[in-house]
Amino acid sequence: MSGTDIIYLDYSATTPPYPEVVRFYCERLLASYANPASTHQLGQEARKTLEQACSQMANLLDCQPREIILTSGASESINTALKSFFPAGRVWSGGLAVCAGEHAATRETAETLARNGVVVHTFGLTATGAIDLESVAAALSEKPLVISYMLVNNETGAIAPVAEIAGLRNKISPRTKIHIDAVQALGRLPLSFKQSKADLMTLSGHKFGAPRGIGLLIGRKNFAITPLIAGGGQQENRRSGTENPPLAEALVLAMEKAVNSAAAESERIAGLERQLNALLFVPGSGLSPVCTATKVPHIVSIRTPGLRGETLANALSAEGIMISAGSACAARKAAASPILRAMGLTDKAAREVVRISLGRNTGANDIEVAAAALLKVYNQLSR
Ligand code: PLP
């Protein structure tokens, strides 16, 4: 099967990098190789490049350049953000509040912290896929040090009620800080760190067309980060390790493209989502949408009664159509998706779900071919 025969509908797992960004990155890797910590001329130039890249990111994200920490990706950002509240050897004056339907990076971090004695307050999702605000209020009444949630759910596409959560925090527990995992939102929704009312925000380059291996943690000025990685004290002691200015520049280029095309792209993708829904969710097809909450159009999660999502995704893969059963991280795990379980799906139902996620190279023909193949395979294999 050649690359051109492939229909890639797994943008939420990772987005193909922009070819021009990869070319630019390779050129810059060769040209700007000095260590930005070196005091000689080349080192200083590399430092300037890095600072310039952070300023450009800050402009695009509506934050201060000094509030940006460059990491290896969102998992590192989330670990750094949440663990910063609970440094070893201190008594903590509150716990951690997380949604039961979080990405594994948050859930596993919460579990590690719980094993170290941190009290974790969990809030839920409703059957529609939305964050359950009553349980958010209950979690906040425990006065946690930090509350963490996803802006766009990576499996269902549900959009979190940012203003309502900030409002509840202000009313019930004003000292609680907010961490937002905005990984699936950049390039899909307008994103402003300031307006989000978050104290910390996580992003990942490979979800919006940058090369893999770079992410951001944005932390409000004066927020004390406990570094996850100790060493040479780079990035003002918040994350050690030699910085990679060309990768930061490549990230800026991808971010500019993703942010600047977001409005037009969401409209285009909303049209593709309508097309997909009209083809799949017809009487007698047996299929239904998993998420009925307010959602982004690029993630479509589908209930496939009587057929495991994994079986369907594998059969479509053999036909050159790449989709996921749930999220890519969960796909290799034995347990059913905790996100779908948090919505109240039974273990069996949660395994009978596939996720289609669309992006900049997806066209109407891809939707038509993929929907026809999905219906065919589902009819053949479901019982
Ligand atoms: N958070 C969300 C919502 C994600 O979708 C992902 C990736 O699947 C992550 C965090 C982890 O991102 P990374 O692969 O950059 O560590």
Side-chain angles (χ1 to χ4, degrees):
M1 197 178 297
S2 80
T4 49
D5 295 331
I6 298 278
I7 296 182
Y8 184 76
L9 298 175
D10 201 17
Y11 280 75
S12 291
T14 198
T15 296
Y18 291 101
E20 55 275 43
V21 170
V22 174
R23 280 193 287 273
F24 170 75
Y25 177 40
C26 293
E27 278 165 25
R28 295 297 294 150
L29 270 177
L30 292 168
S32 174
Y33 51 82
N35 186 328
S38 298
T39 53
H40 51 64
Q41 190 194 332
L42 278 193
Q44 284 180 31
E45 281 171 17
R47 170 130 316 269
K48 256 197 208 132
T49 299
L50 194 62
E51 286 170 358
Q52 168 80 8
C54 286
S55 294
Q56 289 171 294
M57 290 175 212
N59 274 340
L60 290 162
L61 299 169
D62 195 16
C63 66
Q64 302 293 319
R66 299 270 299 274
E67 293 176 325
I68 293 176
I69 304 169
L70 302 174
T71 65
S72 61
S75 298
E76 184 190 327
S77 299
I78 292 168
N79 271 265
T80 305
L82 300 185
K83 289 176 182 171
S84 283
F85 288 89
F86 307 101
R90 294 220 204 127
V91 179
W92 315 302
S93 56
L96 161 70
V98 290
C99 183
E102 279 303 301
H103 185 273
T106 300
R107 284 198 326 272
E108 295 293 326
T109 302
E111 275 178 30
T112 306
L113 288 169
R115 280 195 291 278
N116 293 340
V118 172
V119 180
V120 177
H121 311 285
T122 306
F123 52 95
L125 298 174
T126 69
T128 66
I131 289 181
D132 177 6
L133 288 172
E134 264 179 41
S135 67
V136 171
L140 284 169
S141 68
E142 303 289 344
K143 313 285 184 222
L145 294 183
V146 56
I147 182 168
S148 184
Y149 67 90
M150 269 189 277
L151 179 48
V152 169
N153 189 292
N154 61 310
E155 287 186 26
T156 66
I159 302 173
V162 176
E164 284 87 341
I165 294 175
L168 286 173
R169 185 275 306 263
N170 295 347
K171 198 168 117 203
I172 301 170
S173 182
R175 294 167 74 109
T176 298
K177 304 282 189 239
I178 298 177
H179 168 252
I180 298 183
D181 172 351
V183 163
Q184 296 288 345
L186 194 135
R188 309 294 194 164
L189 292 176
L191 194 62
S192 151
F193 179 63
K194 250 189 224 146
Q195 281 176 23
S196 74
K197 306 287 180 233
D199 299 282
L200 294 149
M201 184 179 276
T202 282
L203 291 167
S204 177
H206 75 97
K207 304 288 182 173
F208 57 85
R212 215 160 294 172
I214 183 165
L216 304 185
L217 174 60
I218 312 172
R220 272 197 199 285
K221 270 189 303 233
N222 308 329
F223 181 79
I225 294 284
T226 309
L228 203 61
I229 299 176
Q234 286 89 346
Q235 301 199 59
E236 299 182 14
N237 265 327
R238 296 173 302 178
R239 201 270 189 185
S240 283
T242 303
E243 303 98 327
N244 184 350
L247 188 52
E249 288 181 288
L251 181 102
V252 168
L253 189 56
M255 195 185 275
E256 274 170 357
K257 286 176 172 296
V259 168
N260 294 338
S261 62
E265 262 298 88
S266 335
E267 219 176 292
R268 191 183 71 84
I269 301 264
L272 296 178
E273 184 201 25
R274 282 193 293 276
Q275 182 193 355
L276 185 64
N277 288 346
L279 291 167
L280 295 183
F281 305 133
V282 289
S285 78
L287 306 172
S288 58
V290 168
C291 178
T292 50
T294 306
K295 65 183 280 295
V296 287
H298 74 278
I299 299 176
V300 180
S301 192
I302 303 158
R303 269 278 289 128
T304 58
L307 183 61
R308 284 174 75 115
E310 198 186 331
T311 310
L312 180 51
N314 289 345
L316 287 178
S317 169
E319 302 209 6
I321 298 164
M322 309 299 146
I323 67 166
S324 276
S327 73
C329 313
R332 295 191 182 279
K333 296 201 174 130
S337 154
I339 295 175
L340 302 175
R341 298 284 282 123
M343 289 172 64
L345 270 70
T346 62
D347 192 86
K348 177 173 180 291
R351 290 171 197 277
E352 296 172 342
V353 169
V354 288
R355 176 189 69 183
I356 290 183
S357 47
L358 318 176
R360 65 176 197 277
N361 296 328
T362 313
N365 190 50
D366 299 323
I367 299 292
E368 206 176 303
V369 174
L374 193 152
L375 287 168
K376 184 192 76 181
V377 170
Y378 180 62
N379 285 332
Q380 282 169 352
L381 301 182
S382 62
R383 265 174 273 129

